[in-house]
Amino acid sequence: MAKLGFVGLGVMGAPMAGHLLRGGHDLTVWNRTSSKAEPLKQQGAKVAASAEDLGAACDIVFLCVNRTEDVAECLAKLTLNAKPSTLFVDHSTIAPKASEEFHAQLNAKGLRFIDAPITGGSMGAQKGQLTIFCGGNQHDIDVASEYLQAYAKRVERVGGPGRGQIMKMANQIAVGGALLALCEAMSFAKKGGLDLAQARDMIGGGAAGSWAFENYGPKILAEDWSPGFSVKNQRKDFAYCRDAALQINAAIPGTDLVDKLLTRVANEELTTAALYDVMVRLGARD
């Protein structure tokens, strides 16, 4: 049985690691904030004393952290004592160019790396229904897929190193557009004196329906901006989208608009559905 490691036990990583554990896998976890590992420890996971220790003990290591810099910091520690051919599977959303560089750097050390960013939100992580965009060597992806099935509904190779992140950028561009469509339509309905629950149900059930209507619609009705996928993380991803767009000469004006509007959300730790509140406060001449 392969020894698995999981680094990054946040809103997404913790339930993903939990699915691996419930699947009967030999799992060791590590998180910079050690208290986040405690619930998994109580479920039977081993907890590494350090990232270096986890890297040395595992055959396959999954990462789910935040930024490019976080991945670089973790890999520097994880690979220090890693065994030859250890496979690193990065679920973080980072710069595509950085993923290409990590792949090359680890290969030079006799290690393996694939970029495998995820989509489906915290609810998808909890239900084990994520979609995973994989970039890298087909054999490595095939090896990882056996374990990714524990928390994914779809796992596919989309190309070579870094292509997983390019697909994730395309995904985030679409997510931003759907978010704006939802919030703009619902704020318009509110100002037009319509019943918001009815508007959400009828619009969301027709040609304009989307994941955003289904999952963020209820939050708008409840005016619940409690953290889920935060404005901070959405804007972080948009920054990577802009950098990638410049490199491939792609226009993303809609993404730029949504990013600009999100700067008006008072607290960037709130969920992105808080954009609705911004739209309600805006007038036709703003």
Side-chain angles (χ1 to χ4, degrees):
M1 181 184 293
K3 294 184 177 180
L4 308 183
F6 207 106
V7 173
L9 306 174
V11 172
M12 300 294 290
M16 291 160 67
H19 286 299
L20 288 173
L21 194 59
R22 287 187 289 277
H25 298 294
D26 183 337
L27 183 68
T28 301
V29 300
W30 182 81
N31 195 78
R32 284 177 292 188
T33 304
S34 58
S35 60
K36 291 187 177 181
E38 191 59 32
L40 287 164
K41 180 180 179 181
Q42 293 176 6
Q43 297 172 48
K46 303 169 189 172
V47 179
S50 66
E52 292 87 343
D53 286 351
L54 184 146
C58 297
D59 304 305
I60 304 176
V61 178
F62 303 89
L63 296 88
C64 191
V65 292
N66 196 4
R67 296 176 175 273
T68 300
E69 297 82 359
D70 300 321
V71 175
E73 179 184 341
C74 288
L75 287 176
K77 297 175 181 178
L78 290 164
T79 60
L80 195 61
N81 301 313
K83 295 172 290 188
S85 294
T86 300
L87 175 59
F88 293 87
V89 180
D90 182 28
H91 290 310
S92 317
T93 298
I94 64 172
K97 185 67 174 176
S99 282
E100 295 178 34
E101 293 170 355
F102 292 145
H103 183 275
Q105 291 166 6
L106 268 63
N107 271 8
K109 296 179 180 180
L111 304 171
R112 300 179 292 164
F113 178 89
I114 62 175
D115 48 301
I118 53 182
T119 188
S122 58
M123 289 170 279
Q126 292 162 16
K127 295 176 181 178
Q129 292 291 299
L130 297 171
T131 294
I132 306 181
F133 312 122
C134 296
N137 178 277
Q138 182 68 66
H139 173 71
D140 295 338
I141 293 168
D142 288 343
V143 170
S145 292
E146 176 183 349
Y147 305 99
L148 299 180
Q149 300 298 336
Y151 45 80
K153 64 179 180 180
R154 186 171 184 177
V155 179
E156 289 188 19
R157 180 180 186 267
V158 298
R163 296 308 94 181
Q165 295 295 349
I166 288 289
M167 187 69 85
K168 181 60 186 287
M169 298 301 103
N171 180 83
Q172 295 306 80
I173 290 167
V175 164
L179 174 70
L180 178 59
L182 165 69
C183 295
E184 189 171 343
M186 291 294 279
S187 66
F188 181 89
K190 178 181 176 65
K191 291 186 176 184
L194 299 178
D195 179 280
L196 282 189
Q198 184 183 44
R200 179 254 173 178
D201 185 55
M202 295 188 73
I203 297 171
S210 66
W211 186 96
F213 261 92
E214 182 178 349
N215 292 276
Y216 286 157
K219 294 183 78 68
I220 286 175
L221 295 179
E223 296 190 2
D224 171 18
W225 318 132
S226 57
F229 186 65
S230 70
V231 169
K232 179 180 179 180
N233 282 330
Q234 182 71 83
R235 298 199 64 229
K236 179 266 292 186
D237 291 355
F238 283 163
Y240 292 139
C241 289
R242 281 196 300 275
D243 290 344
L246 286 172
Q247 292 171 18
I248 63 176
N249 193 32
I252 52 170
T255 301
D256 290 335
L257 173 60
V258 180
D259 187 46
K260 182 178 179 180
L261 289 168
L262 285 174
T263 65
R264 298 183 180 228
V265 176
N267 181 352
E268 62 178 7
E269 297 297 337
L270 299 178
T271 184
T272 54
L275 179 60
Y276 166 79
D277 190 50
V278 171
M279 298 303 298
V280 168
R281 288 186 275 110
L282 287 176
R285 294 180 175 81
D286 289 324

